[in-house]
Amino acid sequence: LVEDEQDIRRFVRTALRNEQYRVLEAGTISQGLIEADSGKPDLVILDLGLPDGNGVQFVQDFRHWSQVPVLVLSARSAEQEKIAALDAGADDYLTKPFAVGELLARVRALLRRGQQLQAAPEAHLSFSNITVDMARRSVTRDSEPVHLTPIEYRLLVLLVTNAGKVMTHRQLLRE
């Protein structure tokens, strides 16, 4: 559960725990990516308005190394916001305020679909003396941090997750 508002986080956590789900919590995108990597969740429930960025960026980063279902739970109700989140890789979108019954029904549906997915690729990739930690968005060479711009980082992740495949100029530009 990646949500910065304490009251909503408590409400959703209580509803999920009442249904016997184990809940990991985060209040920021970066903390959410770390929890998703270390906790290996079956589902991510994500708010879009987070203090360290837009949840759409979380979805894009998360999709580089995981196919776990993502349910966006947001007060943003504009059609373009929904389209952007779904196009980034979110599996479902529920607008706040919401009914707890509908939330739980969507969670059950996504978990059913998620069970059919194959295991996700590793969130840590190493080659030669380079290590890419996609959950923490960090790159090291010989255990020393490597500074990359956001575009350089996204291109590196794209290339290492598609190792052995030919990537066209158009694919690289699109990403």
Side-chain angles (χ1 to χ4, degrees):
L1 173 60
V2 185
E3 168 68 63
D4 63 324
E5 294 182 38
Q6 290 286 344
D7 292 338
I8 294 173
R9 202 161 66 208
R10 183 177 22 254
F11 177 73
V12 173
R13 176 184 61 231
T14 301
L16 292 171
R17 286 189 177 158
N18 286 342
E19 297 295 314
Q20 307 306 310
Y21 294 115
R22 179 178 62 101
V23 180
L24 304 172
E25 300 177 43
T28 63
I29 290 173
S30 56
Q31 185 183 10
L33 288 168
I34 291 168
E35 288 292 335
D37 178 38
S38 61
K40 306 291 185 224
D42 296 320
L43 170 72
V44 172
I45 300 175
L46 172 71
D47 183 22
L48 292 183
L50 295 164
D52 59 340
N54 188 329
V56 171
Q57 185 62 49
F58 174 99
V59 175
Q60 290 171 336
D61 293 343
F62 188 63
R63 283 294 173 240
H64 285 297
W65 52 271
S66 180
Q67 292 304 308
V68 167
V70 175
L71 169 60
V72 172
L73 187 61
S74 179
R76 298 177 184 178
S77 59
E79 180 182 13
Q80 288 298 47
E81 295 280 352
K82 294 177 183 180
I83 291 169
L86 294 167
D87 282 347
D91 297 281
D92 199 357
Y93 196 108
L94 183 59
T95 306
K96 297 174 189 173
F98 57 91
V100 72
E102 182 179 3
L103 170 68
L104 294 173
R106 289 173 185 256
V107 165
R108 288 189 298 271
L110 288 170
L111 289 173
R112 278 193 306 271
R113 279 186 244 145
Q115 291 172 349
Q116 299 168 0
L117 295 173
Q118 298 176 354
E122 198 57 39
H124 304 275
L125 295 172
S126 295
F127 55 96
S128 183
N129 58 346
I130 309 283
T131 301
V132 180
D133 184 343
M134 289 181 265
R136 289 182 174 83
R137 296 182 56 101
S138 67
V139 178
T140 58
R141 184 174 70 201
D142 294 326
S143 300
E144 293 293 321
V146 176
H147 174 73
L148 297 175
T149 66
I151 291 174
E152 290 169 338
Y153 175 80
R154 288 181 70 189
L155 282 171
L156 176 64
V157 169
L158 179 67
L159 293 171
V160 298
T161 56
N162 288 283
K165 297 178 187 173
V166 174
M167 301 293 299
T168 67
H169 185 257
R170 181 170 299 201
Q171 288 171 310
L172 293 173
L173 285 175
R174 186 177 58 237
E175 292 296 322

